[in-house]
Amino acid sequence: MTRSPHPAPPPAAHSHKPDDRGCVLGLDVGGTGMKGAVFDSGMKPLASVHRPTPRAQGPGTVVDAVADALAELGRTATEYRKHILHAGVVVPGIVDEDLQKAVWSANIGWRDLPLAALLQGRTGLPVTLGHDVRAGGLAEGALGAARGARESLFVAIGTGISASVISDGRSVRSGGYAGELGHVVVEADGDPCACGGTGCLETVASASAVAAAYTARTGRAVSGAADVAALTEQGDPAARAIWNRAVDALACALATAVTLFAPQSLVIGGGLAEAGRLLFDPVEAALAARLTFQRRPVVLRAELGDRAGCLGAGLIAWQEAGRAHVSTPTGALTS
């Protein structure tokens, strides 16, 4: 557990205002690690927790680890003399927020799991389940790059590719199936995808696909897409061809999304966004070349980084508690 270097002082003994003692918990469960925090009403993280996700030991062990992380955060909130109003937990895969089920996750292995109910039973806390990328989009809209936009598209490009659609100020869920941008077909005769389809965006433009394509073309192993980006900047012809292919595929899928949802802001995050202008400049140009009558979004780099999911989980918890955050977050979710 890592705590903020300047924690809020305990409330005065005579104070009974809800915000003096109230807090929420936010926990982002990823395929490799979990990041959680205790948030006050201003979304300031009073304390944070970082743990590995034990997915190799099976989905049951992951549920145990999530419950343990929530319990640890709960104990810390008690030490701060804060009353826990709600907990938000966000996970990858297909998540049905209405039924509060983790429908499916290739990374973790659960299927049709009533995760919110299980965690409530284990911890005694009121828990709301959400989707990690939709939570990230919520956070970027409330606290990050898309502040002030009622329509936004947040795209996370990492091992996979997923999107969060905010329309008229509301997250588009569609039973948990909305936002699967990574499975828009961009190459009809392309490579097979893990989803069972062929030529999906993830097979071309995800960080893992970019790295795998370079190794397949050259026979030289790279540690990830960052290496391919560096080689592209150095003028490596194979790297440049693979990078351009990924950019073109991404622009194709984004043009479809912009046509359908007309976002004011298009926010790109995840590991591939670390390439900066090497990614953003050609994507903006290729997207603009594909748009005619459509509303043209402002293309922005995500501001919240790997904190977005956890912050989004905290915002979900405050929403479920019947309150909105009162200011932008101060402090950091430290490692």
Side-chain angles (χ1 to χ4, degrees):
M1 175 79 71
T2 304
R3 298 188 181 177
S4 171
H6 302 293
H14 63 276
S15 175
H16 298 289
K17 293 180 181 179
D19 277 353
D20 285 344
R21 299 180 66 84
C23 70
V24 298
L25 311 182
L27 184 64
D28 178 15
V29 181
T32 57
M34 294 182 281
K35 180 187 291 286
V38 179
F39 292 107
D40 69 9
S41 60
M43 285 301 292
K44 177 181 178 180
L46 303 177
S48 60
V49 62
H50 303 260
R51 289 185 174 188
T53 302
R55 61 176 180 169
Q57 299 172 42
T61 302
V62 174
V63 173
D64 292 340
V66 173
D68 288 346
L70 281 179
E72 184 176 351
L73 288 168
R75 288 191 294 270
T76 301
T78 300
E79 291 174 12
Y80 278 96
R81 298 173 61 193
K82 293 285 187 180
H83 172 58
I84 301 170
L85 299 174
H86 212 87
V89 176
V90 300
V91 300
I94 304 298
V95 178
D96 189 327
E97 287 98 337
D98 292 333
L99 296 179
Q100 288 291 282
K101 282 188 175 183
V103 177
W104 177 75
S105 171
N107 285 334
I108 297 176
W110 49 42
R111 186 179 292 274
D112 292 324
L113 187 70
L115 187 55
L118 287 173
L119 294 174
Q120 287 179 176
R122 299 279 186 92
T123 65
L125 297 168
V127 176
T128 294
L129 182 67
H131 182 262
D132 57 352
V133 175
R134 282 194 285 278
L138 176 66
E140 288 288 350
L143 308 169
R147 286 187 301 275
R150 284 187 59 78
E151 287 87 26
S152 64
L153 181 69
F154 169 61
V155 181
I157 309 173
T159 303
I161 300 175
S162 188
S164 167
V165 180
I166 304 294
S167 179
D168 291 328
R170 295 178 177 271
S171 177
V172 178
R173 297 174 176 177
S174 301
Y177 289 89
E180 291 296 330
L181 187 70
H183 300 289
V184 170
V185 175
V186 292
E187 294 183 348
D189 58 350
D191 295 330
C193 180
C195 75
T198 300
C200 295
L201 180 63
E202 280 190 8
T203 68
V204 181
S206 66
S208 54
V210 167
Y214 184 82
T215 298
R217 178 173 292 204
T218 66
R220 300 194 298 272
V222 291
S223 61
D227 287 353
V228 181
L231 289 164
T232 300
E233 290 189 306
Q234 294 165 19
D236 183 297
R240 180 162 301 198
I242 290 163
W243 195 262
N244 290 342
R245 177 183 175 225
V247 164
D248 188 67
L250 185 58
C252 178
L254 290 175
T256 298
V258 167
T259 302
L260 288 173
F261 300 111
Q264 296 165 296
S265 298
L266 169 56
V267 180
I268 300 176
L272 212 64
E274 296 302 311
R277 300 321 310 179
L278 183 68
L279 177 71
F280 283 83
D281 287 348
V283 165
E284 287 186 64
L287 177 60
R290 285 171 167 79
L291 301 180
T292 55
F293 68 91
Q294 298 93 333
R295 175 162 69 180
R296 300 194 176 205
V298 179
V299 180
L300 302 164
R301 182 171 175 175
E303 291 182 5
L304 302 177
D306 65 359
R307 300 178 298 147
C310 184
L311 286 164
L315 290 171
I316 288 169
W318 275 118
Q319 288 176 350
E320 291 298 319
R323 307 181 195 178
H325 72 284
V326 297
S327 65
T328 55
T330 56
L333 304 180
T334 54
S335 299

